Amino acid sequence: MKITQIKVIVCCPGRNFVTIKIITDSGLFGLGDATLNGREMAVAAYLEEHAAPCLVGRDPQEIEDIWQYLYRGVYWRTGAVTMTAIGGIDMALWDIKGKAAGMPLYQLLGGRSRTGVTLYAHASGKNTEETLGEAKKLVEAGFKAIRIQSAIPGLEATYGVIGDMKDYYEMQGNRPLPPEEEWSTQKYFGMVEELFREARHHLGSDVHLLHDVHNRLTPIESARLGKLLEKYNLLFLEDASIAENQESYKVIRQHTTTPLAIGETYNTIWDCKELVQNQLIDYIRMAATHAGGITAMRRIADFAGIYSVKIAPHGAPDLSPICVAAHLHLNTWAPNFGIQEFVGLGSEQCRQIFKQDFQIKNGMAHVSEAPGLGIDFDEEAAKEYPYKRSYLPVSRLEDGTLWHW
Ligand code: GCO
Ligand code: MG
């Protein structure tokens, strides 16, 4: 089998997605997601100009060698743009391998470890009451795990909730420059305990609760938060602090038993090595798209498993349905799967373009049994929604200091 063409398609059905289609002389093709939020065209150019020309004519079945060629063979290894390009190509190659074998991807990985993939949904609102109203609806819809976020009184907009502008997920293409949000640790601590106390009171003890701090706290503040929330029994506390200095998580760990999750911006196994090896975290949240595809995720899952760390792949709306499908296969297989973030099936336009056939029932996803990833992409429909430049927000402290978003 030979690769005859690699297409890179950037479309914006409500938000931007970079899709790779690898076409072969056998009639089989594979699909991959290479979306890097706010930097989509950098990956598209990398693929078109630097990666695709080296792969045309190669055997798409040699996934491992192609992975090494694009990773080790490049002097400038790692980095978000390179690893997202590799992630998209790798996914498409596994899609082809599955189709050639006549097997769904999870079978190629080793088969099922579970009947379905437990999902967590998002509840956000402008105050505790609104957030918990959303959470209740999700519980009624069958979800067993909910991420709870609320606006902070006194701050106009912050992570997950942005004033009257709908949330940031839907702002793609609507603003010429990055919007700005505000952060105050003092004000956050003034509301966060009440949010979880009320959540337990109204939702009961069975439902799993999660929370994303989006790197806003310092390690000692995260430690304090973890301690404060211990009695509300969170499934995990996500991105409490930035961990460029992986050692800094020791500060959090030595103070609290609240389980910790991190990793959605990580690109290689090296980014989480110390965190995993020293058991400073409980869930690793890397995504197939940004961490080098199925080939890399499989290694990360096995590495994490040795240290009792579970995988909980990133599932925000900026990962395309192709990545969602890849994660469902990985999660169906991985013995150390934890939970999958899930934000719905995307806009109507999105569902017109990406045709997936996994099933969701009672807060669980059931992977497609079709060969490969089990997803299709309508190129003609995608043409209707061209790329629109857009940015994630930035965050500032009340005195104007630029802070982590
Ligand atoms: C999450 C994430 C997202 C990110 C987004 C950035 O846990 O879902 O934090 O909300 O902010 O994916 O690209
Ligand atoms: Mg997050």
Side-chain angles (χ1 to χ4, degrees):
M1 210 192 294
K2 277 195 169 29
I3 296 173
T4 51
Q5 196 189 358
I6 299 184
K7 288 188 178 174
V8 182
I9 304 133
V10 187
C11 65
C12 186
R15 63 170 315 113
N16 291 316
F17 292 119
V18 180
T19 302
I20 300 177
K21 184 168 183 177
I22 300 187
I23 299 167
T24 70
D25 60 357
S26 68
L28 297 177
F29 68 87
L31 295 169
D33 175 33
T35 308
L36 186 61
N37 203 0
R39 294 293 183 272
E40 295 86 357
M41 300 313 268
V43 183
Y46 188 104
L47 283 162
E48 272 168 354
E49 187 56 31
H50 306 297
C54 309
L55 301 183
V56 171
R58 290 211 46 178
D59 182 350
Q61 296 170 109
E62 293 174 3
I63 298 179
E64 191 60 57
D65 189 67
I66 291 176
W67 197 95
Q68 298 297 338
Y69 186 87
L70 293 173
Y71 178 83
R72 200 178 291 195
V74 176
Y75 187 57
W76 312 107
R77 46 208 263 171
T78 80
V81 173
T82 298
M83 296 313 292
T84 303
I86 296 179
I89 287 175
D90 184 81
M91 241 180 253
L93 295 176
W94 279 99
D95 191 23
I96 293 171
K97 199 177 269 305
K99 286 172 179 166
M103 285 185 201
L105 174 64
Y106 77 84
Q107 292 289 13
L108 300 182
L109 293 171
R112 259 178 206 289
S113 289
R114 56 192 53 78
T115 52
V117 171
T118 303
L119 306 170
Y120 73 87
H122 288 192
S124 306
K126 58 177 186 293
N127 51 39
T128 300
E129 201 188 334
E130 194 178 286
T131 301
L132 296 184
E134 290 302 307
K136 269 202 165 143
K137 284 188 218 156
L138 292 166
V139 171
E140 276 156 23
F143 287 98
K144 310 274 186 282
I146 321 277
R147 189 189 86 164
I148 306 269
Q149 306 293 137
S150 166
I152 300 169
L155 297 184
E156 271 225 347
T158 194
Y159 171 70
V161 193
I162 186 162
D164 58 349
M165 296 299 299
K166 295 185 156 188
D167 77 8
Y168 63 95
Y169 291 141
E170 292 164 59
M171 297 198 314
Q172 284 251 331
N174 295 335
R175 304 226 183 158
L177 290 171
E180 298 208 352
E181 298 183 346
E182 223 180 1
W183 179 256
S184 155
T185 298
Q186 183 70 10
K187 291 187 169 126
Y188 172 68
F189 270 102
M191 57 72 78
V192 66
E193 190 179 359
E194 185 213 58
L195 177 64
F196 282 89
R197 189 173 50 234
E198 291 300 303
R200 275 291 169 229
H201 181 68
H202 287 95
L203 304 172
S205 57
D206 276 1
V207 59
H208 293 292
L209 299 180
L210 304 92
H211 185 56
D212 189 349
V213 188
H214 232 258
N215 307 309
R216 301 294 208 276
L217 302 179
T218 64
I220 198 66
E221 289 164 355
S222 299
R224 191 174 141 217
L225 177 66
K227 235 170 153 173
L228 192 69
L229 299 183
E230 262 167 32
K231 51 182 171 299
Y232 307 110
N233 192 20
L234 265 60
L235 184 100
F236 65 58
L237 182 64
E238 178 189 342
D239 286 349
S241 298
I242 210 93
E244 282 159 346
N245 173 11
Q246 298 185 34
E247 244 187 72
S248 69
Y249 261 57
K250 280 187 192 157
V251 175
I252 312 177
R253 200 55 152 181
Q254 71 194 359
H255 290 291
T256 179
T257 55
T258 293
L260 303 172
I262 199 166
E264 65 181 44
T265 60
Y266 293 0
N267 308 124
T268 74
I269 200 164
W270 302 104
D271 295 335
C272 65
K273 178 177 171 282
E274 315 286 316
L275 291 166
V276 169
Q277 202 168 260
N278 297 319
Q279 293 180 292
L280 300 177
I281 56 167
D282 303 280
Y283 294 85
I284 181 72
R285 294 193 17 87
M286 288 159 81
T289 297
H290 303 131
I294 313 286
T295 299
M297 288 289 277
R298 196 181 46 169
R299 291 195 184 108
I300 289 159
D302 280 339
F303 169 61
I306 299 173
Y307 300 97
S308 305
V309 174
K310 294 181 180 178
I311 62 162
H314 189 201
D318 47 285
L319 294 151
S320 94
I322 301 174
C323 180
V324 175
H327 286 168
L328 293 185
H329 286 281
L330 280 158
N331 297 337
T332 299
W333 153 74
N336 55 328
F337 164 67
I339 196 155
Q340 176 63 57
E341 180 180 26
F342 180 69
V343 290
L345 297 171
S347 63
E348 202 184 312
Q349 305 99 298
C350 183
R351 278 175 278 141
Q352 235 179 293
I353 297 172
F354 298 93
K355 314 254 192 233
Q356 55 76 24
D357 71 348
F358 62 85
Q359 304 297 316
I360 293 172
K361 242 176 47 203
N362 289 328
M364 273 194 167
H366 300 274
V367 75
S368 166
E369 290 295 333
L373 292 173
I375 187 147
D376 212 348
F377 180 78
D378 185 334
E379 282 182 67
E380 286 311 306
K383 283 185 190 146
E384 303 287 314
Y385 306 100
Y387 166 76
K388 286 186 188 168
R389 180 167 55 231
S390 90
Y391 297 92
L392 284 165
V394 297
S395 184
R396 289 187 188 275
L397 302 182
E398 288 169 296
D399 70 356
T401 308
L402 197 87
W403 199 233
H404 306 292
W405 187 72

